[in-house]
Amino acid sequence: MRILVTRPALDQDQTCKALRALGIEPVSAPVMEAQGLQFCLSEQAWQAVVVTSRNGLRMLEPAQIAQLRLRPLYCVGAKTESLAHDLGFETIEMCAPDLAVLTPALVSRLNPAGGPVLYLTGRHRTGSLKAALETAGLRVEQVESYDMVASPTLPEDALTAIRKGGIDGVLLYSQRSSQLFLSIASEQGLEAQLGGLTFYCLSPAIATLIKEAGYPLVVADAPNEKSLLASLEKGRNYLI
């Protein structure tokens, strides 16, 4: 079994390793890559720092890390937590599996009178974390530290494998990656070959475009990579 991994190249190692452990051959096919943006951090007594992706931490300069590392950090994902430890953050208050778990936890744990919250995020994002926190009375400074830039196409070996029928499925991690993959496939004239693939989607929202296109799909039972990879073994179609 050969599976396309559409995650950014910097984030593929853990996925490829996990796939190989399942006896599945990963094929790198990133549809976007992280690009740092210029940003400044104001001098604030931050009540908390919130990051939902490793990229939010990757783009920090050493001086900015020194400014923030003593502040309580709330994050999504074990890899983000691990990077935070490596960068010297001393207090990881919470590592949530996804934004749906993190958001209510922040609302319940943070104090509207306790100072502002710093939210390091990307230019393209899903959910409405800032709005949810502000509705709860918290003051949020949302800083866009990176952008996920669309790849112009897929690597040639991935394109060749699709054309020759050498791919069994595609892992999709976001609505935007779903859109970009379909767009690249259309530009390369690969729509006919996509009907023979199974699209493994992290959530029902990500699967929407795939369903509309009529391609076979499977949706993870929970919006995390462990569940997504487990869906490869289940191999069942999911009707939204």
Side-chain angles (χ1 to χ4, degrees):
M1 188 176 191
R2 302 182 78 204
I3 295 292
L4 291 181
V5 182
T6 60
R7 302 188 76 181
L10 279 175
D11 297 322
Q12 286 200 10
D13 284 352
Q14 70 183 75
T15 304
C16 293
K17 182 178 179 181
L19 287 171
R20 292 189 187 101
L22 295 172
I24 298 170
E25 181 184 349
V27 178
S28 178
V31 296
M32 53 187 165
E33 295 294 350
Q35 184 178 87
L37 300 174
Q38 289 189 337
F39 65 96
C40 295
L41 300 179
S42 58
E43 292 289 342
Q44 300 269 10
W46 304 109
Q47 176 180 182
V49 178
V50 179
V51 290
T52 56
S53 164
R54 278 182 287 178
N55 292 316
L57 297 177
R58 282 176 176 145
M59 305 309 172
L60 293 172
E61 298 289 341
Q64 294 170 327
I65 294 172
Q67 180 184 349
L68 300 178
R69 69 182 186 84
L70 298 181
R71 301 297 179 187
L73 180 72
Y74 293 78
C75 66
V76 170
K79 291 296 183 180
T80 305
E81 180 183 26
S82 177
L83 178 58
H85 281 299
D86 292 344
L87 293 176
F89 281 82
E90 296 190 2
T91 305
I92 313 296
E93 287 288 345
M94 181 182 187
C95 174
D98 52 51
L99 195 59
V101 173
L102 180 67
T103 302
L106 289 170
V107 170
S108 65
R109 295 186 185 192
L110 300 182
N111 182 357
V117 176
L118 175 63
Y119 176 28
L120 296 171
T121 185
R123 179 168 287 169
H124 297 274
R125 54 189 171 272
T126 57
S128 52
L129 178 60
K130 182 176 186 289
L133 297 183
E134 289 179 336
T135 298
L138 294 158
R139 183 158 62 91
V140 181
E141 183 167 326
Q142 181 172 278
V143 175
E144 295 180 351
S145 62
Y146 66 95
D147 188 16
M148 297 305 298
V149 179
S151 303
T153 188
L154 301 181
E156 192 56 42
D157 60 338
L159 292 173
T160 299
I162 296 172
R163 291 189 182 105
K164 293 184 176 181
I167 296 297
D168 299 290
V170 184
L171 295 181
L172 294 173
Y173 288 79
S174 70
Q175 289 175 280
R176 188 161 178 246
S177 64
S178 179
Q179 177 186 12
L180 291 174
F181 182 83
L182 293 179
S183 177
I184 290 172
S186 176
E187 291 170 1
Q188 295 291 328
L190 298 174
E191 291 100 326
Q193 287 87 347
L194 296 189
L197 308 182
T198 299
F199 291 81
Y200 297 90
C201 306
L202 196 67
S203 73
I206 294 168
T208 300
L209 286 176
I210 306 303
K211 185 185 179 186
E212 290 175 354
Y215 298 129
L217 66 93
V218 173
V219 176
D221 292 329
N224 57 66
E225 186 169 74
K226 181 179 179 180
S227 181
L228 180 62
L229 297 183
S231 73
L232 288 166
E233 298 179 291
K234 294 177 183 177
R236 58 178 175 78
N237 284 346
Y238 181 98
L239 298 179
I240 299 175

